[in-house]
């Protein structure tokens, strides 16, 4: 079966750095997405990786290792507004997005 | 402004009633999707459509129905056959449904409560 694993919840301090991991086992791979979802709202796109390596976008970076079936989202200089759930999703061989359950990130002052 | 609209944001229905959730997009996207999200869980695909007049069942289609008569519109009907319909429903669209880079854009969601 297809499976995406993320930690359920993480806590970090304002101004710090946090890394959210995602491991996946899917039928084929055509890219990996990270989305941010604030409580009660729709997910919004953060990043996309299809090749191995690190993609940096401001305070957020995303890393992919296809051989290990592994990705992480790195958030730097954490702000209170970063408190949200972070969803990892993989495009499989049928071009369907397979979603992880999400990681709830709690930022403390 | 281009985007996806869903209405209403909150919806209450009595058990046994069918209810239709609307989803409209003006992004000229070919593909549209319906997801269900329960507390503390990820997104589960109900139905998707890659082209007008065609749609496919997702992982949890039982108790739901859809139509795609226009490119812009993809309404979802929650029927009385759906055992536990109370949930947050999200509609999304992407430029194409058959591409590795199929970034999905989401509407604001409809929170359905069945009493």
């Amino acid at each position: 079966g297809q499976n995406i694993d993320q930690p359920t919840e993480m806590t970090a301090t304002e101004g710090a750095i946090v890394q959210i991991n995602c491991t996946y086992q899917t039928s084929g791979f055509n890219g990996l997405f990270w989305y941010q979802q604030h409580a009660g709202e729709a997910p919004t796109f953060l990043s996309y990786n299809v090749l191995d390596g690190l993609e940096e976008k401001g305070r957020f970076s995303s890393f992919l290792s296809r051989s290990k079936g592994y990705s992480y989202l790195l958030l730097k200089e954490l702000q209170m507004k970063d408190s949200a759930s972070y969803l990892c999703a993989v495009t499989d061989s049928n071009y369907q997005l397979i979603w992880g359950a999400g990681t709830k990130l709690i930022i403390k002052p | 402004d281009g985007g996806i609209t869903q209405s209403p944001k909150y919806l209450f229905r009595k058990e046994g009633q069918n209810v239709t959730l609307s989803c409209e997009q003006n992004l000229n996207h070919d593909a549209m999707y319906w997801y269900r999200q329960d507390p503390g869980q990820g997104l589960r695909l109900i139905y998707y459509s890659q082209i007008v007049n065609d749609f496919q069942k997702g992982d949890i289609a039982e108790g739901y129905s859809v139509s795609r008569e226009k490119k812009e519109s993809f309404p979802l009907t929650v029927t009385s056959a759906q055992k536990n319909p109370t949930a947050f429903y999200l509609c999304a669209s992407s430029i194409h449904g058959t591409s590795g880079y199929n970034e999905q854009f989401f509407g604001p969601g409809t929170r359905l409560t069945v009493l």
Side-chain angles (χ1 to χ4, degrees):
Chain A
Q2 309 206 85
N3 194 50
I4 296 183
D5 286 320
Q6 306 178 234
T8 302
E9 186 174 297
M10 298 182 70
T11 302
T13 304
E14 189 176 15
I17 299 174
V18 70
Q19 178 176 310
I20 302 174
N21 296 326
C22 170
T23 57
Y24 62 89
Q25 290 179 308
T26 56
S27 57
F29 178 85
N30 282 298
L32 184 144
F33 290 85
W34 283 97
Y35 280 78
Q36 181 190 59
Q37 185 179 25
H38 285 99
E41 298 182 7
T44 55
F45 170 81
L46 286 177
S47 68
Y48 173 75
N49 295 69
V50 66
L51 299 176
D52 290 352
L54 188 67
E55 295 279 344
E56 297 186 80
K57 191 186 295 185
R59 294 189 298 113
F60 292 7
S61 302
S62 56
F63 171 83
L64 175 67
S65 169
R66 288 173 297 171
S67 63
K68 295 182 179 179
Y70 168 69
S71 172
Y72 68 72
L73 180 69
L74 191 70
L75 291 74
K76 303 177 184 177
E77 302 170 13
L78 287 170
Q79 302 175 9
M80 297 303 293
K81 67 178 182 179
D82 297 331
S83 291
S85 289
Y86 292 85
L87 309 177
C88 174
V90 171
T91 307
D92 70 7
S93 57
N94 293 320
Y95 301 106
Q96 292 302 311
L97 266 183
I98 311 301
W99 294 85
T103 299
K104 183 179 181 180
L105 178 62
I106 299 169
I107 310 296
K108 295 185 174 180
Chain B
D1 289 331
I4 302 177
T5 57
Q6 290 184 244
S7 62
K9 190 167 180 65
Y10 298 95
L11 188 57
F12 296 88
R13 279 295 182 269
K14 291 182 179 179
E15 193 172 342
Q17 290 181 334
N18 292 356
V19 60
T20 298
L21 282 58
S22 76
C23 177
E24 304 278 333
Q25 55 99 359
N26 61 3
L27 300 167
N28 200 33
H29 285 175
D30 286 335
M32 297 187 74
Y33 311 82
W34 272 106
Y35 291 97
R36 170 183 173 137
Q37 188 174 36
D38 294 285
Q41 297 192 28
L43 305 181
R44 291 189 290 168
L45 183 64
I46 304 172
Y47 269 98
Y48 65 99
S49 169
Q50 294 180 339
I51 196 169
V52 175
N53 292 323
D54 185 53
F55 48 83
Q56 307 295 327
K57 291 182 179 180
D59 300 321
I60 55 166
E62 185 175 351
Y64 300 97
S65 65
V66 293
S67 63
R68 186 87 186 276
E69 298 176 0
K70 298 186 299 182
K71 187 175 186 177
E72 305 80 24
S73 179
F74 192 40
L76 173 75
T77 296
V78 184
T79 75
S80 57
Q82 168 50 232
K83 297 284 186 257
N84 185 19
T86 294
F88 187 46
Y89 290 88
L90 286 160
C91 179
S93 70
S94 62
I95 295 176
H96 302 298
T98 54
S99 166
Y101 188 78
N102 56 342
E103 178 188 348
Q104 294 185 9
F105 297 79
F106 286 84
T110 292
R111 190 167 298 279
L112 172 65
T113 301
V114 175
L115 306 171

